Amino acid sequence: MATASPPLISSPNSTSTSFRTRTSLPTCSFSPKLLRPLASFSVKASRKQVEIVFDPDERLNKIGDDVDKEAPLSRLKLFSPCKINVFLRITGKREDGFHDLASLFHVISLGDTIKFSLSPSKSKDRLSTNVSGVPVDARNLIIKALNLYREKTGSNKFFWIHLDKKVPTGAGLGGGSSNAATALWAANQLNGGLVSEKELQDWSSEIGSDIPFFFSHGAAYCTGRGEIVQDLPSPFPFDLPMVLIKPREACSTAEVYKRLRLDQTSNVDPLTLLENVTNNGVSQSICVNDLELPAFQVLPSLKRLKQRVIASGRGEYDAVFMSGSGSTIVGIGSPDPPQFIYDDEEYKKVFLSEANFMTREANEWYKEPASASATTSSSESRLEIPNEM
């Protein structure tokens, strides 16, 4: 005798029905206790096997996503790019012990990825990372930035953070400063945008001189300790390639500045450098870095590396220079390192990455480019982090 199809199975001829689940969501009205008799009933009626598939990733997940769309923002995944100093002049020493500088900073496409989620904790952030040696406590600039945000705004929100680290430290690339700026931007978004980007930029100088730069749109002329940021249009095409070569040894910024002698720095006007690079693009004569000489005293092998890159490049690079206080050597004009980097045992463990210049749109954070994952080394892909950040 023919019977009607059960209400939870759409047709006697159905061969698959999916039920999916999601944690922390309202439970489905369907009762699992009804599953066996309903399936058995359908088999008798149609003499076709009905397969009940339990899949935790579809229907109820879609319900959960719909719920998330209606709820306040609770999680973010952000790109945290690093920077290079196209030129870096040290113009004097201040009474507070810091040095005055004048530099063209520019964001590049190498960067970390950071995931932020609201935490149920009302007392502590929790930070994890993919590499050993990175502090995950209050020494980390991410945690410092989140503490600063709560101090300034009175917010009581804490976060779970995962840092996928690709930018080496001790490299002169501002990776930790970028992480801090990204954390401030994320905290503000996850608190409903309590303050302006200008306020975030102003506050950020309290925990690091390079952090305010990342609140520019990606290219800026920076003075003072680096915290005075003049936003600029990028003077470079975004398809201009570069290669980053960082030896295993890091340069201590404090040690580099200790060896700096102002009477041995360049005497070229930084505004002249800025005008030349704006009008003519990058060249070796523009890429002045007053910290190269003391950095080469700290790490003599770094001077030899730069000289070899220039000699082996045979004009392939428009400019070869050290970024920041080192120890990264940048070659602009080609994404490829010289062959000796692959051939010589001395350079088997250097960090290598190609990169491009990039910027961001107003009211948005930096977007991860498709090529951002192209980080390699000359032997195996590796990233070793010293016990500081």
Side-chain angles (χ1 to χ4, degrees), residues 22-44:
R22 181 184 180 95
T23 58
S24 303
L25 293 172
T27 57
C28 180
S29 60
F30 170 70
S31 172
K33 294 180 180 179
L34 297 178
L35 181 61
R36 187 169 299 157
L38 290 175
S40 174
F41 183 86
S42 178
V43 168
K44 290 179 180 178

Side-chain angles (χ1 to χ4, degrees), residues 254-312:
E255 189 62 30
V256 170
Y257 272 101
K258 185 187 298 184
R259 295 181 183 236
L260 174 69
R261 290 181 54 182
L262 292 175
D263 60 351
Q264 295 179 343
T265 60
S266 170
N267 58 9
V268 63
D269 187 337
L271 289 175
T272 300
L273 294 174
L274 182 62
E275 181 181 4
N276 287 342
V277 77
T278 301
N279 294 333
N280 305 314
V282 70
S283 67
Q284 191 65 51
S285 63
I286 286 172
C287 297
V288 174
N289 186 343
D290 286 336
L291 295 181
E292 279 193 1
L293 181 59
F296 293 164
Q297 293 171 356
V298 173
L299 198 61
S301 60
L302 195 58
K303 179 179 181 179
R304 185 169 65 253
L305 173 60
K306 178 187 174 183
Q307 291 173 335
R308 291 193 66 180
V309 172
I310 292 173
S312 302

Side-chain angles (χ1 to χ4, degrees), residues 229-252:
V229 179
Q230 180 185 344
D231 218 341
L232 298 172
S234 175
F236 309 113
F238 295 146
D239 61 354
L240 178 63
M242 70 186 75
V243 63
L244 311 176
I245 308 171
K246 182 201 173 293
R248 291 189 68 185
E249 300 84 1
C251 274
S252 163

Side-chain angles (χ1 to χ4, degrees), residues 82-93:
C82 64
K83 58 81 182 172
I84 60 171
N85 301 85
V86 179
F87 64 79
L88 174 56
R89 287 289 337 278
I90 305 299
T91 57
K93 189 167 183 178

Side-chain angles (χ1 to χ4, degrees), residues 88-343:
L88 174 56
R89 287 289 337 278
I90 305 299
T91 57
K93 189 167 183 178
R94 302 153 54 108
E95 292 183 359
D96 61 8
F98 289 95
H99 288 79
D100 280 317
L101 61 82
S103 178
L104 176 58
F105 283 56
H106 208 299
V107 165
I108 60 173
S109 57
L110 171 67
D112 304 329
T113 302
I114 313 179
K115 297 178 182 179
F116 299 87
S117 299
L118 287 175
S119 169
S121 170
K122 295 300 180 183
S123 61
K124 188 177 181 180
D125 299 303
R126 188 178 73 186
L127 173 64
S128 61
T129 183
N130 64 317
V131 291
S132 61
V134 173
V136 294
D137 54 19
R139 293 172 295 164
N140 193 294
L141 279 170
I142 293 174
I143 302 298
K144 289 182 179 181
L146 297 175
N147 286 335
L148 178 67
Y149 186 85
R150 284 186 290 266
E151 174 190 330
K152 295 293 187 180
T153 64
S155 169
N156 63 354
K157 291 183 178 178
F158 288 79
F159 303 92
W160 289 337
I161 314 103
H162 180 73
L163 170 63
D164 185 5
K165 196 87 183 129
K166 295 179 182 176
V167 179
T169 60
L173 298 174
S177 296
S178 174
N179 292 167
T182 304
L184 283 171
W185 198 88
N188 198 43
Q189 293 297 304
L190 293 169
N191 277 275
L194 296 178
V195 298
S196 67
E197 280 191 20
K198 182 64 170 66
E199 289 173 287
L200 296 176
Q201 184 180 51
D202 291 343
W203 298 342
S204 69
S205 65
E206 297 181 20
I207 57 173
S209 299
D210 289 351
I211 302 172
F213 159 70
F214 290 96
F215 289 100
S216 73
H217 290 94
Y221 180 64
C222 299
T223 54
R225 293 184 291 112
E227 85 284 9
I228 303 172
V229 179
Q230 180 185 344
D231 218 341
L232 298 172
S234 175
F236 309 113
F238 295 146
D239 61 354
L240 178 63
M242 70 186 75
V243 63
L244 311 176
I245 308 171
K246 182 201 173 293
R248 291 189 68 185
E249 300 84 1
C251 274
S252 163
T253 300
E255 189 62 30
V256 170
Y257 272 101
K258 185 187 298 184
R259 295 181 183 236
L260 174 69
R261 290 181 54 182
L262 292 175
D263 60 351
Q264 295 179 343
T265 60
S266 170
N267 58 9
V268 63
D269 187 337
L271 289 175
T272 300
L273 294 174
L274 182 62
E275 181 181 4
N276 287 342
V277 77
T278 301
N279 294 333
N280 305 314
V282 70
S283 67
Q284 191 65 51
S285 63
I286 286 172
C287 297
V288 174
N289 186 343
D290 286 336
L291 295 181
E292 279 193 1
L293 181 59
F296 293 164
Q297 293 171 356
V298 173
L299 198 61
S301 60
L302 195 58
K303 179 179 181 179
R304 185 169 65 253
L305 173 60
K306 178 187 174 183
Q307 291 173 335
R308 291 193 66 180
V309 172
I310 292 173
S312 302
R314 302 178 186 277
E316 189 174 6
Y317 305 109
D318 299 321
V320 176
F321 56 93
M322 185 184 79
S323 179
S325 58
S327 58
T328 299
I329 298 297
V330 182
I332 294 184
S334 171
D336 302 314
Q339 187 60 39
F340 77 84
I341 294 292
Y342 297 106
D343 295 341

